[in-house]
């Protein structure tokens, strides 16, 4: 039966239902999936390995000198081309020995190890040969992600055979890059690329093919993203710096802006002066001073007669933001109000009314600002703090708040996503980065095991006597706020039991009443509480410069970016900060946890840590799969520096393409969009 690109793999000769179900575990359902299945890496077997090295891949050729069994191992001993002896070893496959005879010439490959003074390869790949150059095992060998019950050789052979068979179809139906792009980026035809991918002459050739395929994939990712980004065609109120509020605001600050803050403010001013909406992501590590930027942006709108909305992900953070911005603007003629759902109904109603009438200049809140029916009189700019917790849908809804004109839009995030990853995820946003921090205070991070908990807290009490304040973060309990409250209360009780007199300890968690929580936070801010025991509610936004010490209980339960966010709370002054990560003994920790803890000890730079985090967890996890629907890419590897350059080129090319009319009608592009984004293609027709 002839096959086409959409034929299910079970109908391919030699596959059948069992292997088909195994292939489906690798995400391979159809012929198309099969030929687009990228190798994990390549083995360079273009020549025999000149010197064996333990733990490394090797390819050897040799003569069988003996065979036999030892325990459950079947062993064939070869004298190989280096002059050494090497054992080919299998476990519990007695029949394997039958096919070997003394004097046979064998080529074998796999990872070599030293064992009992001998080289060995466990479960080798092998072939009987007469002549090395004719062996199908020589050359550059793709290694595919594998699954139980599917041999590498099988996948390899299958892909090659199928690719040969459907080659004419690939040429006819799978060329997605217009000739001009291929010429510009020096990319061969799709068929050539797939042949290079699965059957390269050199390792380099395979990698080049994969990069070109990643480029194609990302180009269509961006084309799809941008073709829906209609805001670029919408009208926004041009907002031009007047200085009546902004200049006074800057003059009134007790410090100079950092260079990075100035640069970012300039970028924002340029964006807002246009009559198309700003659509910008502001990235800055914790403590980089984003709040000032948001206040400035809001005031820019207000001095032009427009309103500003600032949203935070939680009520606590909204309150915090409100207090800070209120303080910053206390000498200016602006009306700043907080609107959160926890407030008394009457008060809420009156603030809502004020927003509608334009009496409120800057409204601060949670997503209540968009989900509840808040009406603005003339919203000029919408600012979202800590964006990664908001979904794209919420973003869109916020933008509808501006009536005839679309408000300018600024998203701020403290999750230091590597820049190109940000370009991908927030591909429809322009990106500004604050890469400089106002405070140059050091942080010393120590990873301490629980048996020294007593010592840690004695040291902490001593520091408190010297005038310092501290956070103690309770263990993270996933999915259960109730257990979390229990955990935090236990830590609180423990500290109260062992504390010396004169030291005051407070407790905050998400289940407390707002007034109660606020009161404790205020006391902590005023220095009346020395040690604040808290759940991760303090993760972002809380700002008490004198609190320079943090102890994190069961630090192994936290993710890397979360630990970094937490630690950011104590890096708010020029003083040296101390962060203690308490964990169970090392042997109880996972490898990944150890890498995280060690990274925290070594690095305080958020971008560095986010790179490590990205490698540990992959991009989907890093950003929380739920929120952004990050596509799993087939070829593009967001953790690879090389690929990130490709992503940037693809983004640029997609933008340039879309700036020309009729591009979506180019046959290759149409085909590509339909292939990569079938749902959207149906929706738009
Ligand atoms: P982020 O929101 O980026 O984590 P914040 O805006 O809360 O950071 O700023 C952290 C701290 O640094 C705050 O106490 C803020 O007042 C202070 N700060 C901001 N900009 C500067 C600056 N240019 N010089 C000194 N301190 C600054
Ligand atoms: Mg902040």
């Amino acid at each position: 039966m002839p096959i086409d690109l959409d034929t299910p793999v079970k109908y391919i000769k030699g596959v059948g239902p069992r292997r088909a179900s195994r292939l489906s575990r690798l995400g391979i359902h159809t012929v198309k999936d099969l030929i687009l299945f990228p190798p994990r890496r390549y083995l360079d077997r273009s020549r025999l390995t000149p010197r064996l090295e333990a733990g490394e891949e090797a390819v050897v050729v040799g003569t069988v000198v003996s065979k036999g069994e030892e325990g459950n191992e079947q062993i064939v001993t070869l004298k190989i081309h280096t002059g050494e002896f090497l054992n080919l070893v299998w476990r519990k496959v007695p029949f394997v020995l039958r096919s070997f005879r003394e004097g046979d010439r064998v080529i074998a490959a796999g990872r070599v190890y030293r064992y009992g003074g001998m080289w060995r390869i466990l479960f080798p790949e092998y072939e009987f040969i007469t002549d090395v150059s004719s062996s199908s095992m020589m050359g550059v060998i793709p290694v595919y992600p594998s699954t139980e019950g599917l041999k590498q050789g099988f996948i390899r052979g299958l892909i090659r055979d199928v690719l040969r068979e459907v080659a004419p179809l690939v040429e006819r139906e799978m060329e997605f890059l217009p000739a001009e792009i291929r010429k510009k980026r020096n990319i061969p035809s799709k068929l050539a690329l797939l042949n290079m991918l699965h059957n390269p002459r050199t390792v380099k050739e395979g990698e080049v093919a994969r990069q070109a395929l990643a480029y194609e994939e990302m180009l269509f990712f961006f084309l799809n993203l941008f073709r829906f980004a209609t805001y670029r065609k919408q009208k926004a109120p041009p907002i031009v710096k007047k200085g009546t509020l902004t200049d006074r605001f800057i003059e009134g600050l007790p410090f100079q802006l950092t260079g990075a803050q100035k640069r970012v403010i300039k970028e924002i001013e340029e964006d807002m002066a246009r009559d198309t909406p700003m659509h910008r992501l502001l990235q800055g590590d914790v403590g980089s001073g984003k709040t000032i930027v948001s206040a400035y942006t809001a005031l820019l709108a207000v001095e032009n007669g427009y309103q500003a909305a600032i949203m935070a992900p939680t009520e606590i953070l909204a309150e915090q933001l409100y207090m800070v911005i209120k303080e910053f603007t206390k000498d200016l003629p602006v009306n700043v109000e907080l609107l959160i759902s926890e407030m008394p109904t009457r008060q809420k109603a009156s603030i809502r009314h004020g927003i509608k009438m334009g009496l409120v200049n800057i409204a601060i809140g949670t997503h209540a600002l968009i989900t509840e029916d808040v009406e603005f009189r003339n919203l000029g700019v919408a600012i979202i703090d800590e964006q990664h917790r908001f979904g794209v849908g919420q973003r869109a809804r916020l933008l509808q708040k501006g009536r005839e004109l679309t408000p300018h839009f600024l998203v701020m995030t403290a999750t230091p996503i590597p820049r190109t990853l940000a370009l991908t995820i927030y591909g429809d946003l322009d990106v500004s980065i604050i890469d400089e921090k106002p405070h140059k205070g050091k942080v010393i991070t120590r990873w301490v095991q629980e048996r020294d908990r007593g010592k840690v807290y004695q040291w902490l009490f001593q520091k408190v006597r010297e005038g310092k304040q501290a956070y103690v973060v309770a263990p993270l309990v996933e999915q259960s706020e109730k257990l979390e409250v229990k955990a935090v209360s236990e830590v609180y009780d423990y500290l109260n039991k062992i504390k010396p007199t004169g030291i005051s300890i407070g407790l905050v968690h998400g289940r407390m009443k707002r007034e109660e929580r606020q009161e404790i936070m205020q006391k902590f801010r005023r220095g009346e509480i020395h040690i604040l025991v808290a759940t991760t509610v303090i993760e972002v936004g809380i700002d008490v410069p004198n609190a320079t010490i943090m102890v994190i209980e069961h630090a192994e339960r936290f993710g890397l970016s979360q630990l970094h966010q937490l630690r950011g709370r104590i890096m708010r002054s020029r003083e040296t900060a101390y962060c203690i990560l308490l964990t169970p003994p090392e042997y109880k920790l996972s490898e990944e946890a150890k890498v995280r803890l060690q990274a925290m000890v070594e690095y305080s730079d958020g971008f560095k840590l986010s790179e490590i985090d990205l490698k540990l967890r992959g991009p989907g996890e890093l950003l929380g799969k739920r929120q952004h629907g990050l596509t799993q890419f087939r070829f593009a590897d967001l953790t690879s520096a090389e690929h990130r350059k490709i992503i940037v080129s693809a983004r640029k090319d997609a933008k340039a393409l879309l700036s020309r009319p009729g591009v979506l009608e180019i046959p290759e592009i149409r085909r590509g969009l339909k292939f990569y984004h079938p749902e959207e293609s149906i929706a738009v027709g």
Side-chain angles (χ1 to χ4, degrees), residues 276-306:
T276 50
M278 165 167 77
H279 216 61
R280 186 168 285 279
L281 172 74
L282 172 57
Q283 255 199 301
D285 206 349
V286 268
S288 61
K290 295 185 295 296
T291 313
I292 308 287
V293 175
S294 67
Y296 186 97
T297 307
L299 291 172
L300 207 55
V302 176
E303 70 185 11
N304 277 269
Y306 292 99

Side-chain angles (χ1 to χ4, degrees), residues 49 57 68 129 170 174 221 367 409 472 576 603 623 664:
T49 308
E57 294 284 347
I129 51 160
V170 171
M174 290 189 72
F221 172 82
H367 55 276
F409 181 54
V472 175
T576 300
Y603 303 106
L623 294 149
L664 296 176

Side-chain angles (χ1 to χ4, degrees), residues 287 290-291 321 385-386 412 414 540-541 569 572:
K290 295 185 295 296
T291 313
L321 203 57
D385 199 359
E386 316 297 356
M412 305 196 291
V540 265
R569 296 307 112 207
R572 303 253 141 187

Side-chain angles (χ1 to χ4, degrees), residues 2-18:
I3 53 175
D4 65 35
L5 295 169
D6 294 311
T7 304
V9 283
K10 68 170 177 226
Y11 298 123
I12 301 172
K13 210 170 100 223
V15 177
R18 259 173 69 135

